[in-house]
Amino acid sequence: CGQCFRFSKHSERENTYCGVAFGKYLEISQNENEISFNCDKETYENLWHGFLDLDNNYSLYIDSFEDDSVLYEASVFSSGIRLLKQDPWETLCSFIISQNNNIPRIKGIIENMSKAFGESFEQDGFTYYSFPTARALYEAGEENIFGLKTGFRAKYIYDAASKVVRG
């Protein structure tokens, strides 16, 4: 289990979170019991519904923890948590970057890496960046990855990228 570092609370809209995954921008807003997405129905069904793991019945898991009071209490307390179905490459890199690091710094490194080596796209007059592919990071080289203040992690990111590129 990991964390998604590319989504944040929207700076101007209350009860709204925004971020980038799979090279697409998403805003999720909640008003009372209604949740809305800033995308068309097809994109929601083909991408975001699965990403947010909305077909999984988490109450079945919670019920299965009844014999373990600590796990049951934790799962009831955190009942809204979902296991995101993130891109495996982005998840691996985020995990490498997270080692011995804090969340604001992790988010900054991932954002800088995306700006430096990801693909840009426009939405609503703003520019966003996809997470860089393994090939993009491999071609960037360890020194350029290090230049993004990744520290000792640069060699591990580059090694992972080279292994993915080589299959």
Side-chain angles (χ1 to χ4, degrees), residues 94-125:
S94 297
F95 180 75
I96 294 169
I97 292 166
S98 73
Q99 301 307 299
N100 199 25
N101 222 338
N102 62 60
I103 291 174
R105 190 158 182 276
I106 296 164
K107 289 179 82 137
I109 291 170
I110 290 172
E111 189 61 29
N112 290 336
M113 188 178 287
S114 297
K115 284 180 181 176
F117 307 118
E119 297 291 323
S120 66
F121 63 94
E122 301 287 322
Q123 177 145 348
D124 301 328

PDB file of all heavy atoms in Angstrom, residues 94-125:
ATOM      1  N   SER A  94       7.322   6.637  -7.001  1.00  0.00           N
ATOM      2  CA  SER A  94       6.882   7.369  -5.807  1.00  0.00           C
ATOM      3  C   SER A  94       7.374   6.682  -4.540  1.00  0.00           C
ATOM      4  O   SER A  94       7.775   7.339  -3.578  1.00  0.00           O
ATOM      5  CB  SER A  94       5.355   7.473  -5.784  1.00  0.00           C
ATOM      6  OG  SER A  94       4.888   8.200  -6.882  1.00  0.00           O
ATOM      7  N   PHE A  95       7.354   5.351  -4.552  1.00  0.00           N
ATOM      8  CA  PHE A  95       7.843   4.593  -3.398  1.00  0.00           C
ATOM      9  C   PHE A  95       9.342   4.823  -3.199  1.00  0.00           C
ATOM     10  O   PHE A  95       9.805   5.059  -2.079  1.00  0.00           O
ATOM     11  CB  PHE A  95       7.546   3.106  -3.578  1.00  0.00           C
ATOM     12  CG  PHE A  95       8.010   2.272  -2.425  1.00  0.00           C
ATOM     13  CD1 PHE A  95       7.321   2.279  -1.224  1.00  0.00           C
ATOM     14  CD2 PHE A  95       9.150   1.499  -2.534  1.00  0.00           C
ATOM     15  CE1 PHE A  95       7.762   1.524  -0.150  1.00  0.00           C
ATOM     16  CE2 PHE A  95       9.594   0.737  -1.460  1.00  0.00           C
ATOM     17  CZ  PHE A  95       8.900   0.749  -0.263  1.00  0.00           C
ATOM     18  N   ILE A  96      10.107   4.799  -4.289  1.00  0.00           N
ATOM     19  CA  ILE A  96      11.555   5.048  -4.192  1.00  0.00           C
ATOM     20  C   ILE A  96      11.804   6.450  -3.645  1.00  0.00           C
ATOM     21  O   ILE A  96      12.631   6.649  -2.748  1.00  0.00           O
ATOM     22  CB  ILE A  96      12.244   4.843  -5.555  1.00  0.00           C
ATOM     23  CG1 ILE A  96      12.175   3.373  -5.976  1.00  0.00           C
ATOM     24  CG2 ILE A  96      13.694   5.329  -5.509  1.00  0.00           C
ATOM     25  CD1 ILE A  96      12.580   3.114  -7.418  1.00  0.00           C
ATOM     26  N   ILE A  97      11.081   7.435  -4.162  1.00  0.00           N
ATOM     27  CA  ILE A  97      11.249   8.821  -3.731  1.00  0.00           C
ATOM     28  C   ILE A  97      10.837   8.995  -2.270  1.00  0.00           C
ATOM     29  O   ILE A  97      11.412   9.811  -1.548  1.00  0.00           O
ATOM     30  CB  ILE A  97      10.444   9.765  -4.650  1.00  0.00           C
ATOM     31  CG1 ILE A  97      11.073   9.772  -6.050  1.00  0.00           C
ATOM     32  CG2 ILE A  97      10.380  11.183  -4.088  1.00  0.00           C
ATOM     33  CD1 ILE A  97      10.189  10.384  -7.124  1.00  0.00           C
ATOM     34  N   SER A  98       9.880   8.205  -1.801  1.00  0.00           N
ATOM     35  CA  SER A  98       9.369   8.376  -0.440  1.00  0.00           C
ATOM     36  C   SER A  98      10.321   7.878   0.643  1.00  0.00           C
ATOM     37  O   SER A  98      10.132   8.202   1.815  1.00  0.00           O
ATOM     38  CB  SER A  98       8.015   7.672  -0.297  1.00  0.00           C
ATOM     39  OG  SER A  98       8.178   6.267  -0.256  1.00  0.00           O
ATOM     40  N   GLN A  99      11.325   7.112   0.261  1.00  0.00           N
ATOM     41  CA  GLN A  99      12.231   6.548   1.258  1.00  0.00           C
ATOM     42  C   GLN A  99      12.959   7.645   2.033  1.00  0.00           C
ATOM     43  O   GLN A  99      13.623   8.500   1.451  1.00  0.00           O
ATOM     44  CB  GLN A  99      13.248   5.617   0.587  1.00  0.00           C
ATOM     45  CG  GLN A  99      12.612   4.462  -0.148  1.00  0.00           C
ATOM     46  CD  GLN A  99      11.649   3.670   0.714  1.00  0.00           C
ATOM     47  OE1 GLN A  99      12.026   3.104   1.726  1.00  0.00           O
ATOM     48  NE2 GLN A  99      10.390   3.651   0.321  1.00  0.00           N
ATOM     49  N   ASN A 100      12.814   7.620   3.348  1.00  0.00           N
ATOM     50  CA  ASN A 100      13.482   8.560   4.245  1.00  0.00           C
ATOM     51  C   ASN A 100      13.197  10.002   3.822  1.00  0.00           C
ATOM     52  O   ASN A 100      14.108  10.802   3.671  1.00  0.00           O
ATOM     53  CB  ASN A 100      14.990   8.268   4.286  1.00  0.00           C
ATOM     54  CG  ASN A 100      15.652   8.862   5.505  1.00  0.00           C
ATOM     55  OD1 ASN A 100      15.005   9.075   6.523  1.00  0.00           O
ATOM     56  ND2 ASN A 100      16.931   9.139   5.391  1.00  0.00           N
ATOM     57  N   ASN A 101      11.927  10.315   3.603  1.00  0.00           N
ATOM     58  CA  ASN A 101      11.526  11.608   3.062  1.00  0.00           C
ATOM     59  C   ASN A 101      10.214  12.043   3.710  1.00  0.00           C
ATOM     60  O   ASN A 101       9.532  11.243   4.337  1.00  0.00           O
ATOM     61  CB  ASN A 101      11.350  11.480   1.537  1.00  0.00           C
ATOM     62  CG  ASN A 101      11.910  12.657   0.778  1.00  0.00           C
ATOM     63  OD1 ASN A 101      12.063  13.738   1.327  1.00  0.00           O
ATOM     64  ND2 ASN A 101      12.210  12.433  -0.486  1.00  0.00           N
ATOM     65  N   ASN A 102       9.838  13.309   3.537  1.00  0.00           N
ATOM     66  CA  ASN A 102       8.562  13.786   4.067  1.00  0.00           C
ATOM     67  C   ASN A 102       7.619  14.123   2.911  1.00  0.00           C
ATOM     68  O   ASN A 102       8.057  14.337   1.779  1.00  0.00           O
ATOM     69  CB  ASN A 102       8.759  14.979   5.008  1.00  0.00           C
ATOM     70  CG  ASN A 102       9.381  16.171   4.314  1.00  0.00           C
ATOM     71  OD1 ASN A 102       8.815  16.702   3.363  1.00  0.00           O
ATOM     72  ND2 ASN A 102      10.540  16.610   4.784  1.00  0.00           N
ATOM     73  N   ILE A 103       6.336  14.165   3.196  1.00  0.00           N
ATOM     74  CA  ILE A 103       5.327  14.300   2.144  1.00  0.00           C
ATOM     75  C   ILE A 103       5.487  15.577   1.312  1.00  0.00           C
ATOM     76  O   ILE A 103       5.451  15.489   0.076  1.00  0.00           O
ATOM     77  CB  ILE A 103       3.904  14.147   2.726  1.00  0.00           C
ATOM     78  CG1 ILE A 103       3.702  12.687   3.165  1.00  0.00           C
ATOM     79  CG2 ILE A 103       2.841  14.547   1.703  1.00  0.00           C
ATOM     80  CD1 ILE A 103       2.413  12.405   3.884  1.00  0.00           C
ATOM     81  N   PRO A 104       5.672  16.761   1.900  1.00  0.00           N
ATOM     82  CA  PRO A 104       5.831  17.940   1.042  1.00  0.00           C
ATOM     83  C   PRO A 104       7.031  17.811   0.084  1.00  0.00           C
ATOM     84  O   PRO A 104       6.946  18.195  -1.081  1.00  0.00           O
ATOM     85  CB  PRO A 104       6.032  19.090   2.032  1.00  0.00           C
ATOM     86  CG  PRO A 104       5.368  18.620   3.282  1.00  0.00           C
ATOM     87  CD  PRO A 104       5.603  17.133   3.324  1.00  0.00           C
ATOM     88  N   ARG A 105       8.112  17.249   0.566  1.00  0.00           N
ATOM     89  CA  ARG A 105       9.297  17.089  -0.287  1.00  0.00           C
ATOM     90  C   ARG A 105       9.049  16.036  -1.372  1.00  0.00           C
ATOM     91  O   ARG A 105       9.455  16.204  -2.519  1.00  0.00           O
ATOM     92  CB  ARG A 105      10.508  16.706   0.562  1.00  0.00           C
ATOM     93  CG  ARG A 105      11.800  16.761  -0.223  1.00  0.00           C
ATOM     94  CD  ARG A 105      13.008  16.906   0.716  1.00  0.00           C
ATOM     95  NE  ARG A 105      14.205  16.995  -0.086  1.00  0.00           N
ATOM     96  CZ  ARG A 105      14.873  15.958  -0.564  1.00  0.00           C
ATOM     97  NH1 ARG A 105      14.467  14.731  -0.291  1.00  0.00           N
ATOM     98  NH2 ARG A 105      15.954  16.125  -1.287  1.00  0.00           N
ATOM     99  N   ILE A 106       8.393  14.949  -1.022  1.00  0.00           N
ATOM    100  CA  ILE A 106       8.053  13.911  -2.001  1.00  0.00           C
ATOM    101  C   ILE A 106       7.199  14.519  -3.109  1.00  0.00           C
ATOM    102  O   ILE A 106       7.472  14.339  -4.298  1.00  0.00           O
ATOM    103  CB  ILE A 106       7.284  12.741  -1.333  1.00  0.00           C
ATOM    104  CG1 ILE A 106       8.162  12.034  -0.303  1.00  0.00           C
ATOM    105  CG2 ILE A 106       6.789  11.747  -2.383  1.00  0.00           C
ATOM    106  CD1 ILE A 106       7.388  11.145   0.659  1.00  0.00           C
ATOM    107  N   LYS A 107       6.164  15.253  -2.727  1.00  0.00           N
ATOM    108  CA  LYS A 107       5.277  15.877  -3.708  1.00  0.00           C
ATOM    109  C   LYS A 107       6.053  16.835  -4.608  1.00  0.00           C
ATOM    110  O   LYS A 107       5.821  16.885  -5.822  1.00  0.00           O
ATOM    111  CB  LYS A 107       4.137  16.611  -3.007  1.00  0.00           C
ATOM    112  CG  LYS A 107       3.130  15.663  -2.359  1.00  0.00           C
ATOM    113  CD  LYS A 107       2.022  16.401  -1.663  1.00  0.00           C
ATOM    114  CE  LYS A 107       1.012  16.793  -2.681  1.00  0.00           C
ATOM    115  NZ  LYS A 107      -0.369  16.612  -2.343  1.00  0.00           N
ATOM    116  N   GLY A 108       6.966  17.595  -4.017  1.00  0.00           N
ATOM    117  CA  GLY A 108       7.767  18.546  -4.797  1.00  0.00           C
ATOM    118  C   GLY A 108       8.659  17.852  -5.809  1.00  0.00           C
ATOM    119  O   GLY A 108       8.758  18.281  -6.973  1.00  0.00           O
ATOM    120  N   ILE A 109       9.319  16.780  -5.384  1.00  0.00           N
ATOM    121  CA  ILE A 109      10.191  16.036  -6.295  1.00  0.00           C
ATOM    122  C   ILE A 109       9.375  15.432  -7.432  1.00  0.00           C
ATOM    123  O   ILE A 109       9.761  15.518  -8.609  1.00  0.00           O
ATOM    124  CB  ILE A 109      10.972  14.936  -5.538  1.00  0.00           C
ATOM    125  CG1 ILE A 109      12.004  15.565  -4.595  1.00  0.00           C
ATOM    126  CG2 ILE A 109      11.646  13.981  -6.517  1.00  0.00           C
ATOM    127  CD1 ILE A 109      12.645  14.574  -3.626  1.00  0.00           C
ATOM    128  N   ILE A 110       8.247  14.836  -7.110  1.00  0.00           N
ATOM    129  CA  ILE A 110       7.411  14.218  -8.144  1.00  0.00           C
ATOM    130  C   ILE A 110       6.898  15.271  -9.118  1.00  0.00           C
ATOM    131  O   ILE A 110       6.896  15.060 -10.335  1.00  0.00           O
ATOM    132  CB  ILE A 110       6.261  13.412  -7.503  1.00  0.00           C
ATOM    133  CG1 ILE A 110       6.844  12.168  -6.814  1.00  0.00           C
ATOM    134  CG2 ILE A 110       5.202  13.032  -8.533  1.00  0.00           C
ATOM    135  CD1 ILE A 110       5.859  11.390  -5.984  1.00  0.00           C
ATOM    136  N   GLU A 111       6.485  16.426  -8.607  1.00  0.00           N
ATOM    137  CA  GLU A 111       6.008  17.498  -9.488  1.00  0.00           C
ATOM    138  C   GLU A 111       7.137  18.012 -10.379  1.00  0.00           C
ATOM    139  O   GLU A 111       6.946  18.197 -11.588  1.00  0.00           O
ATOM    140  CB  GLU A 111       5.407  18.639  -8.661  1.00  0.00           C
ATOM    141  CG  GLU A 111       4.709  19.682  -9.491  1.00  0.00           C
ATOM    142  CD  GLU A 111       3.530  19.142 -10.290  1.00  0.00           C
ATOM    143  OE1 GLU A 111       2.877  18.170  -9.869  1.00  0.00           O
ATOM    144  OE2 GLU A 111       3.237  19.708 -11.360  1.00  0.00           O
ATOM    145  N   ASN A 112       8.314  18.226  -9.812  1.00  0.00           N
ATOM    146  CA  ASN A 112       9.454  18.702 -10.603  1.00  0.00           C
ATOM    147  C   ASN A 112       9.882  17.675 -11.650  1.00  0.00           C
ATOM    148  O   ASN A 112      10.242  18.024 -12.777  1.00  0.00           O
ATOM    149  CB  ASN A 112      10.632  19.061  -9.699  1.00  0.00           C
ATOM    150  CG  ASN A 112      10.360  20.312  -8.895  1.00  0.00           C
ATOM    151  OD1 ASN A 112       9.550  21.155  -9.276  1.00  0.00           O
ATOM    152  ND2 ASN A 112      11.014  20.439  -7.758  1.00  0.00           N
ATOM    153  N   MET A 113       9.836  16.407 -11.280  1.00  0.00           N
ATOM    154  CA  MET A 113      10.187  15.336 -12.211  1.00  0.00           C
ATOM    155  C   MET A 113       9.188  15.304 -13.364  1.00  0.00           C
ATOM    156  O   MET A 113       9.571  15.134 -14.528  1.00  0.00           O
ATOM    157  CB  MET A 113      10.196  13.999 -11.463  1.00  0.00           C
ATOM    158  CG  MET A 113      10.713  12.837 -12.256  1.00  0.00           C
ATOM    159  SD  MET A 113      10.744  11.329 -11.255  1.00  0.00           S
ATOM    160  CE  MET A 113      12.134  11.679 -10.192  1.00  0.00           C
ATOM    161  N   SER A 114       7.910  15.498 -13.042  1.00  0.00           N
ATOM    162  CA  SER A 114       6.876  15.503 -14.072  1.00  0.00           C
ATOM    163  C   SER A 114       7.050  16.695 -15.009  1.00  0.00           C
ATOM    164  O   SER A 114       6.935  16.565 -16.231  1.00  0.00           O
ATOM    165  CB  SER A 114       5.486  15.525 -13.431  1.00  0.00           C
ATOM    166  OG  SER A 114       5.288  14.353 -12.664  1.00  0.00           O
ATOM    167  N   LYS A 115       7.347  17.867 -14.445  1.00  0.00           N
ATOM    168  CA  LYS A 115       7.573  19.059 -15.282  1.00  0.00           C
ATOM    169  C   LYS A 115       8.802  18.897 -16.160  1.00  0.00           C
ATOM    170  O   LYS A 115       8.811  19.323 -17.311  1.00  0.00           O
ATOM    171  CB  LYS A 115       7.725  20.299 -14.398  1.00  0.00           C
ATOM    172  CG  LYS A 115       6.429  20.802 -13.829  1.00  0.00           C
ATOM    173  CD  LYS A 115       6.653  22.028 -12.961  1.00  0.00           C
ATOM    174  CE  LYS A 115       5.354  22.518 -12.361  1.00  0.00           C
ATOM    175  NZ  LYS A 115       5.566  23.641 -11.434  1.00  0.00           N
ATOM    176  N   ALA A 116       9.847  18.301 -15.613  1.00  0.00           N
ATOM    177  CA  ALA A 116      11.104  18.174 -16.355  1.00  0.00           C
ATOM    178  C   ALA A 116      11.046  17.098 -17.440  1.00  0.00           C
ATOM    179  O   ALA A 116      11.583  17.292 -18.535  1.00  0.00           O
ATOM    180  CB  ALA A 116      12.251  17.877 -15.386  1.00  0.00           C
ATOM    181  N   PHE A 117      10.389  15.976 -17.166  1.00  0.00           N
ATOM    182  CA  PHE A 117      10.488  14.832 -18.075  1.00  0.00           C
ATOM    183  C   PHE A 117       9.143  14.240 -18.507  1.00  0.00           C
ATOM    184  O   PHE A 117       9.117  13.297 -19.292  1.00  0.00           O
ATOM    185  CB  PHE A 117      11.350  13.734 -17.436  1.00  0.00           C
ATOM    186  CG  PHE A 117      12.689  14.233 -16.985  1.00  0.00           C
ATOM    187  CD1 PHE A 117      13.042  14.194 -15.642  1.00  0.00           C
ATOM    188  CD2 PHE A 117      13.594  14.767 -17.883  1.00  0.00           C
ATOM    189  CE1 PHE A 117      14.277  14.657 -15.208  1.00  0.00           C
ATOM    190  CE2 PHE A 117      14.826  15.242 -17.468  1.00  0.00           C
ATOM    191  CZ  PHE A 117      15.164  15.184 -16.128  1.00  0.00           C
ATOM    192  N   GLY A 118       8.026  14.780 -17.987  1.00  0.00           N
ATOM    193  CA  GLY A 118       6.712  14.296 -18.391  1.00  0.00           C
ATOM    194  C   GLY A 118       6.215  15.041 -19.626  1.00  0.00           C
ATOM    195  O   GLY A 118       6.846  15.981 -20.112  1.00  0.00           O
ATOM    196  N   GLU A 119       5.072  14.627 -20.114  1.00  0.00           N
ATOM    197  CA  GLU A 119       4.429  15.277 -21.259  1.00  0.00           C
ATOM    198  C   GLU A 119       3.475  16.347 -20.738  1.00  0.00           C
ATOM    199  O   GLU A 119       2.694  16.094 -19.826  1.00  0.00           O
ATOM    200  CB  GLU A 119       3.651  14.261 -22.095  1.00  0.00           C
ATOM    201  CG  GLU A 119       4.523  13.193 -22.727  1.00  0.00           C
ATOM    202  CD  GLU A 119       5.413  13.735 -23.830  1.00  0.00           C
ATOM    203  OE1 GLU A 119       4.949  14.624 -24.582  1.00  0.00           O
ATOM    204  OE2 GLU A 119       6.573  13.283 -23.922  1.00  0.00           O
ATOM    205  N   SER A 120       3.514  17.525 -21.343  1.00  0.00           N
ATOM    206  CA  SER A 120       2.613  18.597 -20.921  1.00  0.00           C
ATOM    207  C   SER A 120       1.278  18.469 -21.644  1.00  0.00           C
ATOM    208  O   SER A 120       1.207  17.950 -22.753  1.00  0.00           O
ATOM    209  CB  SER A 120       3.238  19.962 -21.191  1.00  0.00           C
ATOM    210  OG  SER A 120       3.378  20.177 -22.576  1.00  0.00           O
ATOM    211  N   PHE A 121       0.228  18.942 -20.981  1.00  0.00           N
ATOM    212  CA  PHE A 121      -1.087  19.026 -21.604  1.00  0.00           C
ATOM    213  C   PHE A 121      -1.836  20.196 -20.977  1.00  0.00           C
ATOM    214  O   PHE A 121      -1.541  20.608 -19.864  1.00  0.00           O
ATOM    215  CB  PHE A 121      -1.872  17.710 -21.482  1.00  0.00           C
ATOM    216  CG  PHE A 121      -2.208  17.290 -20.087  1.00  0.00           C
ATOM    217  CD1 PHE A 121      -3.425  17.617 -19.517  1.00  0.00           C
ATOM    218  CD2 PHE A 121      -1.297  16.553 -19.328  1.00  0.00           C
ATOM    219  CE1 PHE A 121      -3.735  17.212 -18.218  1.00  0.00           C
ATOM    220  CE2 PHE A 121      -1.601  16.146 -18.034  1.00  0.00           C
ATOM    221  CZ  PHE A 121      -2.828  16.487 -17.484  1.00  0.00           C
ATOM    222  N   GLU A 122      -2.763  20.744 -21.735  1.00  0.00           N
ATOM    223  CA  GLU A 122      -3.529  21.908 -21.295  1.00  0.00           C
ATOM    224  C   GLU A 122      -4.926  21.490 -20.870  1.00  0.00           C
ATOM    225  O   GLU A 122      -5.530  20.609 -21.486  1.00  0.00           O
ATOM    226  CB  GLU A 122      -3.654  22.916 -22.442  1.00  0.00           C
ATOM    227  CG  GLU A 122      -2.334  23.429 -22.991  1.00  0.00           C
ATOM    228  CD  GLU A 122      -1.632  24.394 -22.072  1.00  0.00           C
ATOM    229  OE1 GLU A 122      -2.337  25.214 -21.423  1.00  0.00           O
ATOM    230  OE2 GLU A 122      -0.402  24.335 -21.991  1.00  0.00           O
ATOM    231  N   GLN A 123      -5.419  22.140 -19.831  1.00  0.00           N
ATOM    232  CA  GLN A 123      -6.817  21.967 -19.428  1.00  0.00           C
ATOM    233  C   GLN A 123      -7.266  23.240 -18.737  1.00  0.00           C
ATOM    234  O   GLN A 123      -6.604  23.704 -17.798  1.00  0.00           O
ATOM    235  CB  GLN A 123      -7.001  20.770 -18.494  1.00  0.00           C
ATOM    236  CG  GLN A 123      -8.437  20.676 -18.035  1.00  0.00           C
ATOM    237  CD  GLN A 123      -8.927  19.272 -17.870  1.00  0.00           C
ATOM    238  OE1 GLN A 123      -8.289  18.315 -18.295  1.00  0.00           O
ATOM    239  NE2 GLN A 123     -10.075  19.145 -17.259  1.00  0.00           N
ATOM    240  N   ASP A 124      -8.366  23.787 -19.207  1.00  0.00           N
ATOM    241  CA  ASP A 124      -8.964  24.987 -18.628  1.00  0.00           C
ATOM    242  C   ASP A 124      -7.955  26.127 -18.497  1.00  0.00           C
ATOM    243  O   ASP A 124      -7.948  26.859 -17.510  1.00  0.00           O
ATOM    244  CB  ASP A 124      -9.590  24.680 -17.268  1.00  0.00           C
ATOM    245  CG  ASP A 124     -10.665  23.619 -17.342  1.00  0.00           C
ATOM    246  OD1 ASP A 124     -11.349  23.548 -18.379  1.00  0.00           O
ATOM    247  OD2 ASP A 124     -10.814  22.853 -16.362  1.00  0.00           O
ATOM    248  N   GLY A 125      -7.079  26.264 -19.483  1.00  0.00           N
ATOM    249  CA  GLY A 125      -6.110  27.356 -19.498  1.00  0.00           C
ATOM    250  C   GLY A 125      -4.880  27.133 -18.632  1.00  0.00           C
ATOM    251  O   GLY A 125      -4.058  28.033 -18.496  1.00  0.00           O
TER     252      GLY A 125
END
